[in-house]
Amino acid sequence: MDSRTLADRIEITDLLTRYATAVDDKDWPLYRSVFTTDAQIDYSTAGGPTGDVDTVVAGLTEQLGLFSRTQHFISNIAVELDGDTAKVRAMFFNPMIVSPGKQFTCGGWYNHDLVRTPDGWRSTRLVEDAAWFDGLEAAFT
């Protein structure tokens, strides 16, 4: 593996970390920095918003307001580099706390289409593929 490939993989991993940090901190300027201005985002498999960054930020602001705390763990990052573009599939595990004693977990995959920009790697498309939920109903009763 050459040094450019290693650098790209590190930068892409940093992008995914920035994504998780932004969602958990509800830091919408940081969240926006993960995406291109014309990015399309789809959280529909988890009942979340779909659309451009502005639409999705509005939806996430409302939905994540239901939780006192969230954590997004991202692992098993598979990167397919092709020059200035990349496809990434990464697993996620998310504990979501509604209130003390009321929580659920979920897991699945994030699928990103990335492009290299003058400001670094950015996502042009994110599709969440939610695979499972545990404790969802009990967390909201």
Side-chain angles (χ1 to χ4, degrees):
M1 196 175 294
D2 63 30
S3 61
R4 176 63 176 219
T5 299
L6 289 171
D8 285 340
R9 293 178 65 84
I10 291 167
E11 289 176 26
I12 289 168
T13 299
D14 287 350
L15 180 75
L16 298 179
T17 299
R18 188 163 76 240
Y19 167 83
T21 300
V23 172
D24 290 331
D25 290 347
K26 301 176 181 101
D27 183 337
W28 305 123
L30 185 62
Y31 180 87
R32 289 174 188 280
S33 78
V34 171
F35 299 96
T36 60
T37 57
D38 62 346
Q40 291 295 304
I41 305 163
D42 182 350
Y43 294 115
S44 61
T45 62
T50 299
D52 62 19
V53 176
D54 290 336
T55 300
V56 169
V57 165
L60 289 178
T61 299
E62 181 180 335
Q63 287 183 335
L64 291 177
L66 299 172
F67 302 99
S68 63
R69 197 68 187 136
T70 64
Q71 283 189 308
H72 288 69
F73 297 92
I74 299 175
S75 67
N76 296 20
I77 301 167
V79 178
E80 292 180 24
L81 288 166
D82 185 12
D84 290 336
T85 64
K87 292 195 176 291
V88 175
R89 182 165 170 88
M91 288 184 175
F92 69 82
F93 172 74
N94 300 348
M96 311 284 280
I97 299 173
V98 178
S99 61
K102 299 278 189 170
Q103 68 183 40
F104 71 93
T105 54
C106 59
W109 294 268
Y110 292 129
N111 300 286
H112 283 274
D113 292 342
L114 303 180
V115 63
R116 187 192 317 273
T117 74
D119 297 319
W121 287 96
R122 297 293 182 268
S123 181
T124 62
R125 183 170 175 264
L126 166 59
V127 177
E128 179 182 83
D129 181 10
W132 59 271
F133 295 85
D134 184 42
L136 182 61
E137 289 180 22
F140 288 98
T141 59

